[in-house]
Amino acid sequence: MKPDRNGAASGERLHKVLARAGLGSRRQIEDWIRAGRVRVNDQQAVLGQSVTGADRLVVDGQAVVLAAPAKARLMLYHKPEGEVCTRRDPEGRPTVFDRLPPLPSGRWISVGRLDINSSGLLLLTTDGNLAHRLMHPGNHQEREYAVRVRGQVDQAMLDRLRGGVELEDGPARFLTITAAGGAGLNQWFHVIVDEGRNRLVRRLWASQGITVSRLLRVRYGPLALPRALARGQWREATAQELAAVSETPATPRRSANRRLETRARPRLR
C-alpha cells in the first residue's frame, strides 16, 4: 500500500482487492462495478477507486469481510459436453460448478470458458488475480484443442488458417495446425491459438466452410489435460502445476509454455 503525498495510505484498487478475496476475476468485478453492484462506505463504487482496510465493502447487498489471504487453489476439471460455464443457468442446464467441492469462503472462478458443445480441460481457481493473469489477452496464453472437422480440407485452406483470416471481430489465426488422424470428410487436427475470443476455433474453421463436429481442449498454457482424468472429474493442481501458472510472466513467449503432462489424445472415430 503506497502513501499519498500527505503521508496517508492511498489504498489499493477495489477490483484487485475483491479479486484477491476470491469473489471473481478482475474483469468480472469491473463489470459488477459498472453495473452498480458494488458499494464502498454506502456509496456506489466507481472504476479505478482505491480502498483501504478501513473501508466498508458491499457486493450485491452482502458485506465483504476481507480475511487474511488464503492460499490460492487451482482445479483441473475435465468438462463434458452438455455443461455450461455460467454459475447459474436460466434454462436449468447443468453447470461446471455443480460438480466442484464447496469452499468455506470465496468462490471458484473459471479461467475462460468452453461452450456447451465443447469438452476438455477447464481451469478454476480461488484467486481472482491469477485468473485475470491467465485470461488477459496481452499474456498470449496458448490454448490447444483436438478438433474433428467435417468437410474437404486442403493445404491451401490450412495455409490461410495459419496465415490469418478476417473474422467479424478482427483478424485471427491458428499458431499451428497438426493432422491427427481420420480420413475423407471427417478428420482430426490439433490446433493452437493464443487468445480466448468467443468460439474462436469454431469460427476460424467456419470461415473456410468447415464444420467442427467435436472440440476438446487438451492444454491451457503450461497445463495439459491429464490422461487419467475422466469426463466430469476434477483434481487439485499439484504444487508444481500451481507454481507453473503462478510464475507465468506478464508477457510470456510461446516457448515458455512448458507442458507438465503428456496431452490427452481423443479416440478417433
Side-chain angles (χ1 to χ4, degrees):
M1 188 178 299
K2 298 180 181 179
D4 61 21
R5 293 179 180 177
N6 297 320
S10 60
E12 187 177 5
R13 292 292 177 88
L14 174 61
H15 67 292
K16 293 184 179 180
V17 171
L18 294 179
R20 190 169 58 246
L23 297 186
S25 70
R26 292 188 195 177
R27 182 170 296 180
Q28 286 174 320
I29 293 168
E30 287 176 341
D31 289 340
W32 298 351
I33 294 172
R34 291 188 187 96
R37 296 171 56 184
V38 183
R39 299 181 71 83
V40 177
N41 300 328
D42 299 323
Q43 301 293 320
Q44 186 169 316
V46 296
L47 285 175
Q49 182 171 355
S50 293
V51 295
T52 70
D55 291 312
R56 299 187 304 278
L57 310 181
V58 174
V59 177
D60 291 337
Q62 299 294 316
V64 177
V65 179
L66 299 176
K71 180 181 178 181
R73 294 177 65 184
L74 180 68
M75 196 71 71
L76 285 73
Y77 178 60
H78 188 163
K79 177 193 173 299
E81 296 175 357
E83 289 184 354
V84 296
C85 291
T86 53
R87 206 166 295 276
R88 295 180 182 84
D89 183 65
E91 300 178 30
R93 296 171 296 185
T95 84
V96 297
F97 297 97
D98 294 339
R99 298 181 188 259
L100 299 181
L103 293 168
S105 62
R107 62 174 65 185
W108 290 110
I109 303 163
S110 173
V111 179
R113 296 187 178 191
L114 289 169
D115 67 56
I116 192 170
N117 296 316
S118 299
S119 61
L121 178 63
L122 183 67
L123 302 180
L124 301 106
T125 180
T126 57
D127 186 337
N129 291 325
L130 175 59
H132 172 78
R133 186 162 68 251
L134 290 172
M135 290 187 288
H136 194 284
N139 289 345
H140 301 289
Q141 287 290 317
E142 288 184 355
R143 289 90 158 160
E144 182 174 355
Y145 298 85
V147 189
R148 186 177 67 189
V149 299
R150 184 182 302 117
Q152 191 64 50
V153 178
D154 57 29
Q155 188 59 48
M157 180 188 298
L158 298 179
D159 291 341
R160 288 194 296 272
L161 289 170
R162 291 190 190 98
V165 298
E166 191 69 30
L167 302 179
E168 60 270 23
D169 54 354
R173 70 186 184 97
F174 290 130
L175 300 182
T176 66
I177 310 174
T178 306
L185 297 181
N186 286 284
Q187 299 183 61
W188 282 92
F189 293 90
H190 275 254
V191 300
I192 297 176
V193 295
D194 65 353
E195 53 180 320
R197 276 188 272 170
N198 187 42
R199 299 174 67 87
L200 181 60
V201 173
R202 294 182 186 275
R203 290 191 292 132
L204 275 166
W205 284 107
S207 73
Q208 306 301 303
I210 299 297
T211 300
V212 172
S213 57
R214 283 195 63 191
L215 182 64
L216 171 73
R217 183 154 67 199
V218 297
R219 181 169 62 89
Y220 194 111
L223 302 186
L225 179 66
R227 288 181 179 273
L229 196 62
R231 290 184 180 90
Q233 291 186 343
W234 54 264
R235 74 160 172 80
E236 197 98 14
T238 65
Q240 182 188 15
E241 289 167 336
L242 183 57
V245 295
S246 298
E247 296 168 3
T248 299
T251 53
R253 293 176 297 180
R254 292 203 296 122
S255 60
N257 281 334
R258 296 175 293 110
R259 303 179 191 185
L260 295 185
E261 182 158 353
T262 303
R263 68 190 179 199
R265 289 283 184 177
R267 293 181 180 179
L268 304 181
R269 59 185 180 186

